Amino acid sequence: MKRIGVLVVAYLAITLLISQFIIHPLHLLETLRLKSEDGLLIAREALGLAPRAPEEIVIVAIDDLSIHKIGRWPWDRRIMADLFDKLRPAKLVAVDIVFAEPQSPEADARLAEAIASHGRVIAGFFGRNDSNITLSADALDELAISEYRGYTATGESLGVASMRSLNVNVPPILSSPLASAPFNAEPDSDGLYRNYPIGYLYQGLFFLNLALQSWRYATGYEINMTITPEKIVEVSEGNRTFTPVNGRFLALNYYHPASIKTVSAVDILEGKNIDAIRNKVVFLGVTEIGIYDMRPTPINSVTPGVWLHYTAYGNMIEGSFLRHLPYATPLGSLLLGTLVLALFGRARFRERAAGYMALLLGWIGGAVWLFCSYATVLPLFYPLLTLILAVIANESVHLFFSEARIKELRKAFASYVSPEILDLITANPDTLKLGGEKKEITILFSDIRNFTTLSESMPPEQLLALLNDFLDPMTEEILKEHGMLDKYIGDAIMALYNVPLDQLDHAAAAARSALALMRVLHTQNEKLGTTLDIGVGIHTGEAVIGNVGSKTRFDYTAIGDAVNLASRLEGLTKSYHAHIIISDATARQLGDGFVLRPLDRVRVKGKNDAVVIHELLPDTPENRHLAKAFAQALEYYFAGKFQEALKAFEALEPDGPSSLFAERCRHLLAKPPAIWDGIWTMTTK
């Protein structure tokens, strides 16, 4: 009963919290909600189910090619007049451009004449709230012919956004089109454009936005609306009905970008691609990125603004605006919370986890299916947030009442596993099993050279003391870089990076550790009067991480080819007279600040594929020069120019790797290979 009481209190708190978030959303949570719905667009495109744009509409774009050929924007209005003349085969032209500043009486008159002669142009204007400049009475009279009146008002006022000022076309262009419309667009709170404004009020006149106004004039059908003093309740045409988002917008159902029909404006001016616009509704706009008419959308961070009008028109044709289910957010949250509560009685965590996963995947799968099949948005964020909080409540109560069992586990296993692994086991008892996970890690092997020879002439207790004098500070350096000491193998060290916790710079951390080991070596040699040396091999790759061993005794470690290769690289340090050898996979993940000498392409024993290896050097001017000169010599060597390579390597002696390659070049000159691929095969470990 105590468990149930605590759980009931937790669920009541979750219900109140989610209710407050839904009614009064925080900016961060609203952003996450929007991003979660964007995931539906991404999933639909990944499944190859993104809708294709209808054939009836085309964008004529003032694009990069047009700007390159005609010149910088804005163009001379006589050129724009020629463009409108060439667009006469179009059924209708919607203009996502405003000519708000006069050019010259002649140029303005020429453009006005071209628009009027076309006879089927919907001109654009821009509404704004950052200015108090009002239109003249004559300009307002010209715009009044474009007023929309096909609505039913339920009160004395209209719940439609108002604009303080308009940027409209200059006379005589203002009076030349068939009608005019605003081409405003408004982003969501996170700056992305997902919705299309239905229209705006100015001086008591209601104007539909460009796509909707164009649809009315192109089809001859009227759009009907019901408007309360607070919002637009409903938008309909015939038997099709759309519920506005936030009482002001229609939710855009974006098309696959590759399906959007676009013709370059310069092609139209040159008389090309005219058939592409014949009897089509044309949206004329600027897509050249330098003109800044770009809008970030869920499908592209740089989307031309004219695409929004194009998409809205296409959605109007097909009746395919996205649908948001009313009350789906609170009902979905309540449903998932109740189903998670029903799983509380399952004693085994595996069963509960399977249930949680089924609910999670089921809700996400249902949302994807509804979206792909019916363009319907099933809310994700708040229902899934409820699910997560409910799962936390379930597991917190289970955990709270399981402390006794955790203590028993610690007592049972503390004697034969490390404290770190014991913490992992007690945090989640299900980790107490053989096997693990596959993960990219970096493996470091270090071996003290000449130690075996030294051990033959030294008493055991003195030998162990000397070994500890080297291994203790070396281990500290590894731990400083958040490496995990996997094991000591005699005088060798195996360390892992990016385990058990994620480590973004694991390759660089291993490289820094290797350089630190060299510094420790020199310090200890000077301090103890010894002449020991070390070799270090580092490789980055996928390995299986987890508990390896028997059911009665196991260790947390890594296994796989990546571990074996790191060990082989450490063995190569002797052959190449190098201290630190790293694989190309590790080298590619290192940033600036590391000096790498390309060393060879080598086929190590036990592997068929060649491995590109590098030597990691301390960052000094001498080593930077050495690495550059050696790289040039190596290019000759790989190209089969052994004489040039020999000369270059000899110039770098007595450097160890240079001496090795000089000897190789002499051998290859004496016995030239029939086929040379630059790969050296090692016959020993």
Side-chain angles (χ1 to χ4, degrees):
M1 289 300 293
K2 288 182 179 179
R3 289 191 184 192
I4 298 301
V6 173
L7 195 64
V8 168
V9 172
Y11 269 78
L12 287 174
I14 291 170
T15 302
L16 290 173
L17 186 65
I18 295 297
S19 300
Q20 285 301 308
F21 286 159
I22 293 173
I23 298 170
H24 305 291
L26 301 175
H27 176 74
L28 174 61
L29 297 184
E30 183 66 8
T31 298
L32 292 174
R33 180 188 70 80
L34 293 170
K35 297 296 185 189
S36 70
E37 293 178 3
D38 293 345
L40 297 174
L41 284 165
I42 296 169
R44 184 174 68 178
E45 184 168 349
L47 294 170
L49 299 175
R52 316 293 291 184
E55 296 290 336
E56 296 96 318
I57 47 178
V58 178
I59 292 174
V60 171
I62 298 168
D63 54 8
D64 294 345
L65 178 63
S66 301
I67 298 298
H68 178 72
K69 287 191 175 183
I70 303 299
R72 63 186 298 179
W73 182 260
W75 291 343
D76 188 288
R77 287 183 185 162
R78 286 172 282 251
I79 295 175
M80 292 300 297
D82 292 341
L83 179 59
F84 279 101
D85 288 341
K86 295 291 178 61
L87 289 172
R88 288 187 182 181
K91 180 179 181 180
L92 182 133
V93 178
V95 186
D96 185 28
I97 301 167
V98 62
F99 305 99
E101 300 292 335
Q103 179 181 321
S104 69
E106 297 79 11
D108 292 345
R110 172 72 181 95
L111 178 55
E113 179 188 5
I115 292 173
S117 297
H118 188 291
R120 296 177 305 282
V121 175
I122 305 298
F125 61 84
F126 184 72
R128 51 195 301 178
N129 284 317
D130 58 353
S131 171
N132 292 317
I133 300 175
T134 57
L135 292 182
S136 66
D138 290 341
L140 193 59
D141 286 343
E142 293 290 353
L143 281 184
I145 62 170
S146 304
E147 181 187 8
Y148 166 69
R149 297 182 180 179
Y151 58 84
T152 300
T154 63
E156 295 183 359
S157 61
L158 299 179
V160 179
S162 296
M163 289 295 180
R164 283 196 231 162
S165 178
L166 301 180
N167 280 12
V168 301
N169 292 321
V170 297
I173 301 172
L174 180 61
S175 59
S176 59
L178 178 64
S180 298
F183 52 75
N184 285 65
E186 296 183 42
D188 286 323
S189 58
D190 64 348
L192 269 62
Y193 291 77
R194 299 178 179 85
N195 303 307
Y196 193 76
I198 295 171
Y200 296 93
L201 286 173
Y202 178 76
Q203 298 285 321
L205 303 178
F206 185 14
F207 299 102
L208 291 182
N209 223 32
L210 183 62
L212 303 184
Q213 184 80 303
S214 300
W215 187 86
R216 292 175 66 218
Y217 281 89
T219 63
Y221 298 134
E222 185 57 277
I223 297 172
N224 300 304
M225 294 185 201
T226 301
I227 307 177
T228 69
E230 292 78 31
K231 62 182 180 179
I232 302 172
V233 176
E234 182 180 276
V235 177
S236 63
E237 186 281 316
N239 60 357
R240 303 183 305 171
T241 301
F242 312 107
T243 301
V245 176
N246 297 329
R248 292 187 49 212
F249 305 95
L250 295 173
L252 291 171
N253 189 3
Y254 281 104
Y255 299 110
H256 192 291
S259 72
I260 294 178
K261 286 75 178 175
T262 303
V263 179
S264 179
V266 72
D267 285 349
I268 300 297
L269 283 166
E270 294 175 353
K272 303 174 185 175
N273 288 333
I274 298 301
D275 286 342
I277 66 166
R278 196 177 304 279
N279 296 322
K280 304 290 178 64
V281 172
V282 168
F283 281 86
L284 176 61
V286 179
T287 64
E288 202 279 323
I289 196 167
I291 301 176
Y292 302 112
D293 186 24
M294 297 292 155
R295 316 284 179 176
T297 66
I299 62 167
N300 194 328
S301 60
V302 184
T303 302
V306 70
W307 280 27
L308 276 63
H309 307 295
Y310 176 97
T311 302
Y313 191 97
N315 290 171
M316 194 67 200
I317 292 175
E318 301 170 329
S320 60
F321 288 106
L322 297 181
R323 297 172 179 84
H324 291 261
L325 298 173
Y327 307 111
T329 295
L331 292 177
S333 301
L334 180 62
L335 174 63
L336 287 182
T338 302
L339 292 175
V340 172
L341 177 61
L343 292 170
F344 179 78
R346 298 287 180 177
R348 294 171 63 89
F349 175 74
R350 277 186 195 167
E351 295 177 357
R352 297 197 305 276
Y356 300 150
M357 189 58 64
L359 291 176
L360 176 67
L361 296 180
W363 191 265
I364 294 175
V368 172
W369 174 75
L370 271 176
F371 190 77
C372 293
S373 301
Y374 300 102
T376 298
V377 178
L378 184 67
L380 287 171
F381 180 70
Y382 286 111
L384 294 183
L385 177 61
T386 302
L387 184 150
I388 291 169
L389 292 176
V391 168
I392 292 173
N394 272 12
E395 296 311 307
S396 296
V397 172
H398 271 287
L399 181 64
F400 182 78
F401 288 97
S402 298
E403 283 299 316
R405 180 168 176 261
I406 297 299
K407 290 179 180 179
E408 291 176 4
L409 278 174
R410 296 190 71 90
K411 183 178 179 181
F413 290 100
S415 60
Y416 60 93
V417 298
S418 68
E420 294 82 6
I421 304 305
L422 184 59
D423 287 341
L424 289 175
I425 291 171
T426 54
N428 184 0
D430 277 8
T431 61
L432 192 64
K433 62 182 179 180
L434 297 179
E437 62 172 329
K438 198 170 187 180
K439 184 178 184 181
E440 182 186 78
I441 64 171
T442 297
I443 308 103
L444 179 150
F445 274 93
S446 171
D447 186 38
I448 300 178
R449 297 176 187 166
N450 307 324
F451 195 79
T452 302
T453 302
L454 183 64
S455 67
E456 294 173 353
S457 61
M458 188 176 291
E461 62 276 8
Q462 187 178 350
L463 179 68
L464 287 177
L466 178 63
L467 182 60
N468 289 336
D469 284 337
F470 278 88
L471 293 183
D472 282 350
M474 288 182 175
T475 302
E476 288 180 9
E477 294 298 335
I478 289 170
L479 297 179
K480 282 180 184 177
E481 293 295 340
H482 305 292
M484 188 188 93
L485 182 66
D486 185 273
K487 59 176 68 73
Y488 296 115
I489 311 169
D491 59 319
I493 295 174
M494 176 181 171
L496 307 177
Y497 297 79
N498 204 31
V499 292
L501 302 178
D502 291 341
Q503 188 175 5
L504 295 178
D505 65 338
H506 51 92
R512 291 192 295 268
S513 294
L515 293 170
L517 295 186
M518 293 302 303
R519 292 193 295 271
V520 168
L521 174 74
H522 294 315
T523 300
Q524 292 302 98
N525 274 334
E526 290 180 3
K527 178 180 177 181
L528 303 173
T530 54
T531 57
L532 297 179
D533 201 357
I534 62 171
V536 180
I538 302 174
H539 174 57
T540 300
E542 283 195 340
V544 176
I545 308 299
N547 299 313
V548 178
S550 69
K551 293 182 179 179
T552 58
R553 182 71 178 179
F554 48 82
D555 291 316
Y556 188 82
T557 188
I559 59 173
D561 285 343
V563 180
N564 297 333
L565 180 55
S567 177
R568 296 286 190 274
L569 295 182
E570 184 278 318
L572 289 180
T573 58
K574 298 177 183 177
S575 301
Y576 283 86
H577 310 296
H579 287 103
I580 306 171
I581 291 182
I582 69 173
S583 68
D584 193 56
T586 300
R588 287 197 303 268
Q589 294 199 24
L590 298 183
D592 296 335
F594 294 97
V595 177
L596 297 180
R597 179 213 302 238
L599 205 52
D600 204 355
R601 302 170 190 160
V602 61
R603 187 178 288 111
V604 300
K605 185 173 177 59
K607 293 186 72 68
N608 294 323
D609 296 332
V611 178
V612 177
I613 60 175
H614 307 259
E615 182 183 11
L616 176 63
L617 298 167
D619 190 354
T620 66
E622 294 79 11
N623 284 339
R624 288 186 178 274
H625 172 73
L626 174 62
K628 183 176 180 181
F630 189 90
Q632 179 60 62
L634 204 60
E635 286 186 16
Y636 293 138
Y637 171 79
F638 286 145
K641 299 177 181 179
F642 302 123
Q643 191 63 53
E644 292 91 333
L646 175 59
K647 183 179 179 180
F649 285 127
E650 286 179 338
L652 297 175
E653 291 184 308
D655 171 62
S658 299
S659 298
L660 171 67
F661 276 89
E663 182 59 32
R664 277 195 198 174
C665 289
R666 295 186 193 101
H667 172 76
L668 293 167
L669 285 168
K671 295 181 180 181
I675 298 175
W676 177 245
D677 59 6
I679 297 174
W680 194 264
T681 301
M682 304 300 295
T683 57
T684 63
K685 294 184 180 180

